[in-house]
Each structure stands twice: as C-alpha cells, then as structure tokens.
Amino acid sequence: MPDEALTSPAPSPLKAAYAACKRFALGLSLSRFHTVVGTVAGIASIAGAGFSLVQFVRPANTGDLVTIVQAAGSRRSLAEATIEVLTTQNAIVATRTPDSTGRVSQELTEGTYVVRVSLPGYAAEVRRVQVLPRQTVEVRANLRAGSSSPSSIERAANSGVNSVRRALGF
C-alpha cells in the first residue's frame, strides 16, 4: 500500500473565529477582566469630570452681550457701526465694531450697562441692559436713516439713574 499522507480538511472561517475567541476567553482570568473593566470605568469617570469642569473655567459673575446692528426696514447689516458699552455713570467699558454680519459679542461682568449704537447718517440707538451671570443678552439695533442729537442719547443713558435717584430722594 502506498504511503499516503493523511491531511485534515481546512477549518471553516467560523470555526477559526470561534477557536480564537475561546483561546482569548480561557486566557483571560476573572481578575484580569476586573482590571480591564475598572480601568475603562476610571478613564470614563475622569473624562466626564474634566468635561463638566469646562463650564467652570469661565468666571461665575460674567455674562455675554451680543449686539446685532441692522438698517431699519431693509434688515441690511451695518458692519461700519460703532457700539459703545457704558456703565450707568457713562464710563466707557468697551467700544466695538461688528463683523460683516453686523454682530458683535462682548463678555461683561454682571451688572447694568448702557449700549449705544451709532453710525454717521443714522439716528443713534441707546438701550439699557442687565447682564446676568452665565447668560447671554441680545440687543438688536435697527438704525434709521437720519441724525442723532447728543442730548437724546444722554437722556436715555441717564434715565434709569435719575429715576432711581428720584425714588430714593437724592
């Protein structure tokens, strides 16, 4: 009888994958499994804590003032406008110009401010705003063609202060 080599048929891919999983599972002890699970849980916990701390990087007593400047009627953005943020005593806190969309953002400490938006050839617009911690206040200024008188701007800026003084008898 001739010598014939006995060969076994090639295992199917499914059986090969099952065998690999079985070897891995048998090689993984319970303590090693606990170590892997504990490490993954620790990494997830640290990542979650880091993500939640991001909101506290910003000071707790500041908020955002967003001003959007447009031409009245056409809703065309006016990127050339000047936006002044003043205290109630008319001290300038910031002077900004909007971007091409007519929008500008400013981080401010909590408090009451006067926002004055002006542009040559347009009537200025003045608003009083209250900035609260971790909140955004939006001011939409629709400037009308015309001119503005400084006395009307001063009256609008001081109206809140004068009413408080009258109420307190100062």
Side-chain angles (χ1 to χ4, degrees):
M1 203 152 101
D3 280 331
E4 291 183 15
L6 296 175
T7 59
S8 64
S12 71
L14 185 59
K15 286 185 180 180
Y18 175 73
C21 288
K22 189 174 179 183
R23 277 191 307 254
F24 178 75
L26 291 177
L28 189 64
S29 67
L30 186 59
S31 64
R32 185 170 290 180
F33 178 73
H34 281 206
T35 302
V36 170
V37 169
T39 302
V40 170
I43 291 170
S45 175
I46 291 170
F51 183 73
S52 67
L53 287 177
V54 168
Q55 67 178 329
F56 295 110
V57 171
R58 187 169 147 192
N61 65 341
T62 63
D64 287 321
L65 170 68
V66 175
T67 307
I68 300 168
V69 184
Q70 298 174 329
S74 69
R75 302 290 184 203
R76 178 178 52 92
S77 62
L78 297 173
E80 315 82 44
T82 300
I83 301 166
E84 295 175 304
V85 180
L86 306 119
T87 64
T88 54
Q89 291 79 29
N90 287 334
I92 294 180
V93 175
T95 302
R96 306 283 305 268
T97 55
D99 60 13
S100 62
T101 64
R103 183 182 175 98
V104 68
S105 179
Q106 177 72 39
E107 186 175 325
L108 296 169
T109 307
E110 176 183 12
T112 303
Y113 295 91
V114 175
V115 178
R116 181 171 42 202
V117 182
S118 60
L119 179 64
Y122 290 86
E125 201 167 309
V126 179
R127 304 262 182 89
R128 291 180 63 82
V129 296
Q130 178 71 37
V131 176
L132 299 174
R134 295 190 180 146
Q135 291 189 11
T136 300
V137 177
E138 186 174 289
V139 174
R140 290 187 176 269
N142 294 312
L143 299 183
R144 299 188 188 286
S147 64
S148 61
S149 65
S151 61
S152 66
I153 294 173
E154 290 298 320
R155 276 196 314 257
N158 290 324
S159 65
V161 174
N162 290 336
S163 62
V164 170
R165 286 182 179 159
R166 281 192 303 267
L168 296 176
F170 292 118

